[in-house]
Structure formats: structure tokens, C-alpha cells
Amino acid sequence: MFKQGQNLPAGTLSQLTKDGMVNHNVAELFAGKKVVLFAVPGAFTPTCSEAHLPGFVVQADELKAKGVDMIACVSVNDAFVMKAWGEAQNASELLMLADGDASFTKALGLEMDTAGFGGLRSQRYAMVIDNGVVTVLNVEAPKSFEVSTAEAILAAL
């Protein structure tokens, strides 16, 4: 599994913008920036929609006041779903990124098989990335929601 202190693995994450589909090279997207990247098992799912994403929406200004340049949410969903979910959650301050084939999630070693729920998904986590290096990595235990909250990341900054 991926560890704190390492450079992010290579990867591509997709985003549907008003101008169409954008495929972001992870290294280029996060280069020279302090980024909070958090992952959810699925868009529109209960904990993700009621607590995880809304926490980062509410705390966006406080995170930016602590030097964060970008806040991004990633899920093993498609870019169309991530865009719709971001709009439904008023997450305009956040980058809503799709890891449709789970290749980035697998490169981190943070995938999980949810079987009947949805198949291969991401574990719930949050990380702080400073110019491509992961300086904080908080991975949740199964069925937990404590260490990857916006408040936990704020406290770690």
C-alpha cells in the first residue's frame, strides 16, 4: 500500500467541465501546489453525500486559509456522475475527479472490492499533497469515518 512521504504514482483522472471532458495527468495537475485529495467509495452514497463531501465544501475556506491551493474529490465513478454529484452538493470550489477504471486507485493500493454493492471501489481516505509528495495520508478502517474528515485534515495542516 502507498505510504506517506512518497511521490504520487503516475495516473490520469477525468473531469467533465463546461468545455467537455478533460483528462488530467496527476503529476501535472498537482505540481507546485498544496492539495487536499480525498476519496470516497461512491458518489451519491449515504456517508459520502451526507458527511464526507459536504464537510470539505463547508471547510473549503478554512483549508485554503491554511495554504491549500486545491481541494479535489476522487471516486471510482465516471466523470458524468462526478460532475452531477458535485453540482447536487454545491461543490463548485472542489475539483470532482473520476477514476473510472480504478487505475489510479489501484496504483495507490487503496482499492477494495465491495462485491454486490458496486464492485471495485476506492477505500475512503484523505491526503495532503505538497508538490506531488504525500505529506499526510489518512486511510479509514472499513466502515469507519473518522480520520478522512475535513476536520481531521484541517487539524493535520
Side-chain angles (χ1 to χ4, degrees):
M1 183 171 69
F2 191 77
K3 291 185 172 67
Q4 191 168 296
Q6 293 181 304
N7 285 319
L8 277 177
T12 302
L13 297 171
S14 301
Q15 178 189 19
L16 185 60
T17 70
K18 62 181 176 11
D19 299 320
M21 189 68 68
V22 178
N23 292 312
H24 295 285
N25 174 298
V26 171
E28 292 172 8
L29 182 63
F30 300 146
K33 296 178 187 85
K34 188 173 206 171
V35 179
V36 171
L37 176 67
F38 67 100
V40 297
F44 292 105
T45 57
T47 301
C48 305
S49 290
E50 294 165 14
H52 207 176
L53 178 60
F56 283 96
V57 171
V58 169
Q59 301 290 341
D61 289 340
E62 288 186 54
L63 288 162
K64 289 181 178 180
K66 287 204 169 198
V68 172
D69 300 303
M70 177 191 300
I71 304 165
C73 175
V74 65
S75 184
V76 180
N77 284 110
D78 64 62
F80 298 95
V81 168
M82 292 302 287
K83 181 178 190 299
W85 188 43
E87 289 171 352
Q89 293 283 327
N90 297 312
S92 58
E93 298 269 327
L94 281 61
L95 234 58
M96 301 299 289
L97 300 172
D99 185 18
D101 65 356
S103 59
F104 180 70
T105 300
K106 288 178 191 174
L108 290 169
L110 293 172
E111 74 276 9
M112 66 177 177
D113 187 352
T114 61
F117 164 73
L120 186 67
R121 298 292 178 117
S122 177
Q123 293 180 51
R124 186 181 306 281
Y125 67 84
M127 62 173 65
V128 178
I129 306 158
D130 198 345
N131 194 26
V133 177
V134 176
T135 58
V136 175
L137 176 59
N138 294 353
V139 180
E140 294 288 356
K143 301 187 189 260
S144 293
F145 180 57
E146 298 169 8
V147 300
S148 67
T149 65
E151 294 79 10
I153 293 301
L154 264 171
L157 289 172

